[in-house]
Amino acid sequence: MSHHNQPATEWADRHRRALTTRHTHEDVLTDREFELLLEACSTLTEPHDFEARFICLIAGRLGLQAGEIAHFQTAWVNWNRRTSRIPQHEPCRCGYCKRQARQEATHNDDLSVEDIVASRWHPKTVASARLIPFDLSLRLELCVECFANRYDAFPRSRSTINRRVQAAASAADLPGHVYPHCLRATAASYHAYKGVAPVPLQALMVWSDLATAQKYIRISGTATADALRRVHHR
């Protein structure tokens, strides 16, 4: 009897977890909240103010992941094409990459820590290697230019990226959860609202499933409302 009830019980457990698990798209910032976050960056001390603004802009408008920001280099920028290249591989010996290498080595007897470090840094997936235009707004362009004037490479760790975002969110007194990955989701929502089609949105955000892009386009209800108003109020 219990054997027959097991699949139903497992389904019920998964359903309860799905109802209680918080998803990143639930923490997407509105345009107003995002502007307040950027304004709050300027209240932080130097150089935290610029670092926080750079993180918030390229995560919240270009969709970069925290690991990509932590390893961002001026050499990735093509100034003629106004694009930034996320490479398939970039040599790195930062503390984060070393820790990840040690952890990976414990599960692979055929590779040493040095062997694994030699293959880092790399983005989350192979598909994450991509070109990203940063001339979507003058604000973005100027931010990337200011970064290049200051740094050859982003000078902080992934944990510091989290702290910068949290400090800006606290200064902005924003409700809810604000963290680097929710900024990435904010970028997806922003582009969906602007009318970016599912396939290019998927390419920008390097999602493996097109349905994820369609979800962000679907939940961008404001875009639907605006489209209806344009038809009925002309």
Side-chain angles (χ1 to χ4, degrees), residues 11-182:
W11 179 89
D13 289 341
R14 288 197 302 271
H15 183 61
R16 278 194 294 271
R17 286 196 297 271
L19 290 176
T20 57
T21 299
R22 190 169 188 87
H23 299 281
T24 307
H25 69 258
E26 297 179 70
D27 296 326
V28 165
L29 302 183
T30 65
D31 283 348
R32 175 179 172 78
E33 289 171 335
F34 186 72
E35 292 300 323
L36 288 173
L37 183 68
L38 289 181
E39 286 295 319
C41 291
S42 63
T43 67
L44 305 181
T45 58
E46 171 73 26
H48 298 182
D49 54 349
F50 175 76
E51 291 168 1
R53 184 176 177 82
F54 178 76
I55 293 164
C56 291
L57 270 174
I58 66 172
R61 285 297 179 257
L62 298 182
L64 268 70
Q65 303 184 63
E68 295 168 347
I69 297 171
H71 292 88
F72 192 92
Q73 299 185 26
T74 299
W76 293 2
V77 177
N78 184 317
W79 297 108
N80 292 328
R81 296 186 178 182
R82 316 305 280 179
T83 58
S84 176
R85 172 184 59 89
I86 305 298
Q88 289 185 342
H89 171 257
E90 191 73 46
C92 180
R93 301 186 68 86
C94 72
Y96 174 80
C97 286
K98 288 179 180 178
R99 287 193 299 273
Q100 291 294 102
R102 286 195 293 269
Q103 184 177 358
E104 191 174 334
T106 62
H107 300 288
N108 195 328
D109 296 333
D110 297 328
L111 292 174
S112 68
V113 173
E114 285 301 315
D115 291 333
I116 298 171
V117 167
S119 69
R120 289 185 175 273
W121 169 80
H122 53 77
K124 190 173 182 179
T125 66
V126 174
S128 296
R130 63 202 187 278
L131 283 177
I132 302 174
F134 59 83
D135 59 347
L136 306 182
S137 72
L138 181 58
R139 180 165 62 182
L140 268 169
E141 283 192 70
L142 292 175
C143 187
V144 174
E145 288 176 11
C146 288
F147 176 90
N149 289 334
R150 287 172 177 242
Y151 306 117
D152 292 326
F154 192 77
R156 308 298 179 188
S157 66
R158 282 188 61 161
S159 59
T160 303
I161 288 173
N162 294 331
R163 290 197 297 271
R164 294 288 182 272
V165 172
Q166 289 166 5
S170 177
D173 196 23
L174 290 177
H177 303 273
V178 183
Y179 48 96
H181 205 66
C182 95

Side-chain angles (χ1 to χ4, degrees), residues 61-63 127-133 136 184 187-214 216-217:
R61 285 297 179 257
L62 298 182
S128 296
R130 63 202 187 278
L131 283 177
I132 302 174
L136 306 182
R184 179 170 151 79
S189 178
Y190 171 78
H191 294 300
Y193 168 74
K194 291 294 186 180
V196 175
V199 171
L201 183 59
Q202 180 191 18
L204 174 68
M205 305 302 296
V206 289
W207 291 318
S208 58
D209 190 351
L210 184 62
T212 306
Q214 293 169 328
Y216 275 91
I217 290 171

